[in-house]
Amino acid sequence: MAIKPTAHVVNTTANTPGKVYLVGAGPSSVDLITVRGAKLLWQADIVFYDALVDPEMLTLCPQALQIEVGKRCGKLSSAQQFINQRLVDAAQKHRVIVHLKGGDPMLFGRADEEIQTLKAAGIAVEVVPGITVALAGAVSIQQSLTLRGMSRSVAFVTLAQGTEGTEHTAPRQVIQPLPNPSADTLVYYMGRKDAACIAQQLIEQSPNQKSDTPVQILEAVSTARERLWVSTLAELAKGKADPWFDSSSPALIMIGEALRNKKENSTSLEGSGSEIDNGLQDSRVFPNGRRSA
């Protein structure tokens, strides 16, 4: 059934605030948002959207006021407290308020801060899940993050910290990703700047990762700009991926034996997998536009 957009409406009911929806946009491709998320965009009076949301997604809400409240590492961003207050203020004027967040709101999306602020102000809030980029990335390369007999656990990791107000007063420090990550497959969000450090720490400290453990890095997952870099932890630790990265695109770093090339998996179970050398000269690098959807 087709859903028609309606003009944005000012909430004129005295003392009755509108409702705020934290909607997951998914990895970025407009056709990967949930049906419920799309319906709410059609119905929204005002939409606050994050920096990683593809502009095409906003075509689903032409009737709404559209306000960017992006947060990007190293770039001018909206402070989280300011975003929280804008949601509260919008609920006093509009009936349906959407904060469109990249991926899934409940994973590295600061949803808890917004939920608590809205509840404290007596404003109803609902979360609509989205496809987190790690799962979309696994689908894109057609390799599971888990694999029978090899990978029984997955960890989603971020090095990002809540350092608003301190980034200009203190030098940036290398952050320990996790104390000896123990999951079989590791997926790092927002780890581009520390990629080599992550790899070196894993080689030295992780019980499950070694120098020849496969690494697959995806940029701009699910979009026409998607790119893939495939190699090993040893090559990543040497900084071989650094010149490949595009600082304007979000990167996802996936590490683990489950991500080894399927032909390598079938042979390494019989022979010595440690002899495989996936140096950059043998890496598979896919240019822009590899995705055909």
Side-chain angles (χ1 to χ4, degrees):
M1 181 178 66
I3 304 170
K4 296 182 179 180
T6 56
H8 65 84
V9 179
V10 174
N11 184 9
T12 57
T13 306
N15 301 320
T16 304
K19 185 172 182 178
V20 175
Y21 297 87
L22 308 183
V23 176
S28 195
S29 180
V30 68
D31 59 349
L32 290 181
I33 192 173
T34 64
V35 173
R36 177 156 178 74
K39 286 181 177 179
L40 285 169
L41 286 177
W42 279 119
Q43 298 167 6
D45 303 313
I46 183 169
V47 174
F48 297 96
Y49 62 96
D50 290 353
L52 295 181
V53 171
D54 192 302
E56 187 180 354
M57 192 78 68
L58 300 177
T59 62
L60 299 179
C61 53
Q63 81 293 340
L65 298 175
Q66 301 175 1
I67 301 175
E68 182 178 4
V69 288
K71 300 182 71 63
R72 291 295 302 273
C73 180
K75 297 183 179 181
L76 185 62
S77 303
S78 300
Q80 186 60 47
Q81 290 184 344
F82 179 66
I83 296 173
N84 296 347
Q85 188 58 51
R86 295 201 74 171
L87 293 175
V88 171
D89 293 343
Q92 309 305 324
K93 301 177 182 178
H94 304 283
R95 293 187 303 184
V96 180
I97 303 94
V98 169
H99 186 181
L100 189 61
K101 304 169 77 69
D104 183 278
M106 306 304 280
L107 185 64
F108 307 137
R110 297 197 175 189
D112 184 71
E113 299 174 46
E114 296 175 11
I115 291 171
Q116 297 308 316
T117 298
L118 291 165
K119 285 185 175 181
I123 297 169
V125 57
E126 182 177 325
V127 180
V128 179
I131 300 173
T132 189
V133 67
L135 303 183
V139 169
S140 182
I141 62 175
Q142 296 187 356
Q143 291 190 243
S144 176
L145 300 179
T146 59
L147 192 63
R148 185 175 58 181
M150 184 174 293
S151 176
R152 300 174 61 186
S153 57
V154 180
F156 296 159
V157 189
T158 181
L159 279 69
Q161 294 189 114
T163 55
E164 289 176 0
T166 63
E167 59 267 28
H168 299 299
T169 59
R172 186 175 184 274
Q173 297 180 349
V174 175
I175 307 165
Q176 179 73 18
L178 274 181
N180 297 322
S182 58
D184 298 318
T185 303
L186 304 174
V187 182
Y188 287 86
Y189 288 64
M190 298 169 280
R192 178 179 63 243
K193 291 184 177 180
D194 295 297
C197 180
I198 289 171
Q200 189 60 45
Q201 289 176 332
L202 290 175
I203 291 171
E204 295 174 354
Q205 302 175 18
S206 174
N208 295 328
Q209 281 76 37
K210 302 177 183 179
S211 60
D212 69 334
T213 297
V215 175
Q216 300 210 28
I217 304 176
L218 274 166
E219 284 188 342
V221 174
S222 84
T223 73
R225 297 177 291 106
E226 182 180 280
R227 299 194 303 152
L228 174 65
W229 186 87
V230 181
S231 193
T232 64
L233 270 181
E235 296 301 299
L236 186 62
K238 293 175 184 177
K240 294 296 184 68
D242 291 352
W244 175 84
F245 281 118
D246 179 354
S247 61
S248 65
S249 295
L252 186 75
I253 304 172
M254 301 181 288
I255 302 167
E257 283 298 326
L259 301 170
R260 191 177 292 281
N261 181 277
K262 289 300 180 286
K263 291 182 180 179
E264 293 174 5
N265 272 334
S266 62
T267 57
S268 64
L269 291 177
E270 301 173 358
S272 174
S274 61
E275 296 179 0
I276 297 172
D277 181 11
N278 278 349
L280 244 193
Q281 68 276 14
D282 297 321
S283 298
R284 292 177 292 141
V285 179
F286 291 82
N288 294 341
R290 66 179 292 274
R291 170 179 163 89
S292 56

